[in-house]
């Protein structure tokens, strides 16, 4: 039973977001800047 | 033994400007969120897109300072991705995507449903011939067939209207079709366009 279970598990490789996507998100986060004006907040992307 | 920093603490650190905290959060929940999205959309590329959009929303919300710590971080992120999955299916429903290849012509499966004049005449002729053949059937069979085919009634409705059981109505329909075939074969009638 254990063997069958592990054979079954081997067929499904874990799905994960790629490193490129994660790197993009980290870069995006670093570039995103919030500007506050009175009660308003604006998200600005810095180059 | 290393102690894992709580999500809430990492969120606080990130809001305070620690960019590394975001990386930890993304890597910690990457598989869970990606698997969740993939289980719904069953496409790796779309999963990647939705994952990315989810975290863009997360980043924007956290940086704006509008994140409330009422709930836990992961359920909140899952909720965002769930909403984005729904948006994805809504968008696809409005604008279905077709993925074809070079050796496949879409027009081989999509045709003009409208009949041309010649085909319409042939269709009318077949319908008219069929009505004549139906007249040859015994009255009880004819009655059931007309109700089913021409009035689009269910067998339950037919049984209520004719005062016979559903099984009898079904049997009459069966015999009506058998007899129609017999008449067609006997008279060598061709009913195809």
């Amino acid at each position: 039973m254990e063997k069958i279970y592990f054979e079954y598990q081997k067929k499904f490789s874990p799905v994960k977001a790629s490193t490129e996507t994660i790197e993009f998100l980290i870069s995006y986060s670093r570039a995103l800047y919030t500007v506050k004006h009175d009660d308003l907040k604006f998200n600005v992307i810095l180059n | 033994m290393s102690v894992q920093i709580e999500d809430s603490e990492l969120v606080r650190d990130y809001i305070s400007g620690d960019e590394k905290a975001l990386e930890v959060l993304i890597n910690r929940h990457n598989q869970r969120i990606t698997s969740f999205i993939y289980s719904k959309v069953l496409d790796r590329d779309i999963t990647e897109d939705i994952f990315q959009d989810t975290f863009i929303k997360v980043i924007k919300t956290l940086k704006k300072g509008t994140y409330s710590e009422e709930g836990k971080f992961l359920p909140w992120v899952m909720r965002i991705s769930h909403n984005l999955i729904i948006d994805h299916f809504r968008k696809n429903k409005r604008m279905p995507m077709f993925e074809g290849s070079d050796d496949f012509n879409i027009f081989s499966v999509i045709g003009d449903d409208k009949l041309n004049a010649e085909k319409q005449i042939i269709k009318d002729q077949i319908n008219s011939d069929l009505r004549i053949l139906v007249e040859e059937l015994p009255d009880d069979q004819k009655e059931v067939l007309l109700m089913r085919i021409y009035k689009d009634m269910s067998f339950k409705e037919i049984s209520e209207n004719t005062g016979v059981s559903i099984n009898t109505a079904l049997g009459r329909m069966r015999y009506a079709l058998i007899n129609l075939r017999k008449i067609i074969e006997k008279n060598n009638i061709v009913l195809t366009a």
Side-chain angles (χ1 to χ4, degrees), chain B residues 101-105:
Chain B
S101 58
D102 292 342
D103 54 349
F104 178 77
N105 182 5

Side-chain angles (χ1 to χ4, degrees), chain B residues 65-177:
Chain B
T66 47
Y67 171 71
S68 75
E69 277 207 75
E70 282 169 20
K72 299 238 175 198
F73 176 74
L74 183 62
W76 173 60
V77 181
M78 295 286 250
R79 225 165 30 243
I80 294 173
S81 59
H82 179 254
N83 290 339
L84 288 171
I85 292 164
I86 292 169
D87 288 350
H88 160 74
F89 283 115
R90 278 196 190 131
K91 201 167 71 189
N92 259 23
K93 205 176 168 190
R94 275 200 306 271
M95 208 187 297
M97 197 170 75
F98 173 76
E99 285 175 18
S101 58
D102 292 342
D103 54 349
F104 178 77
N105 182 5
I106 182 66
F107 295 108
S108 65
V109 287
I110 297 177
D112 184 1
D113 288 343
K114 224 173 149 188
L115 295 172
N116 63 26
E118 188 192 350
K119 281 181 181 169
Q120 188 61 51
I121 291 167
I122 294 169
K123 190 170 178 261
D124 292 344
Q125 187 61 53
I126 291 170
N127 285 342
S128 143
D129 290 348
L130 198 60
R131 279 307 286 258
I132 295 165
L133 295 175
V134 168
E135 289 302 319
E136 298 294 314
L137 292 171
D139 285 344
D140 54 349
Q141 292 171 24
K142 184 167 72 182
E143 186 184 32
V144 173
L145 188 133
L146 290 176
M147 284 180 177
R148 182 77 193 112
I149 305 292
Y150 293 97
K151 294 182 183 169
D152 204 25
M153 289 164 72
S154 68
F155 280 103
K156 189 171 179 285
E157 288 167 333
I158 294 169
S159 109
E160 284 163 3
N161 272 272
T162 54
V164 296
S165 70
I166 294 176
N167 274 342
T168 307
L170 281 163
R172 284 180 183 172
M173 182 69 191
R174 183 170 172 266
Y175 280 110
L177 295 173

Side-chain angles (χ1 to χ4, degrees), chain B residues 133 178-189:
Chain B
L133 295 175
I178 290 169
N179 286 331
L180 264 182
R181 280 199 195 99
K182 277 184 187 166
I183 299 166
I184 289 166
E185 279 166 18
K186 192 177 157 194
N187 296 288
N188 291 321
I189 301 164

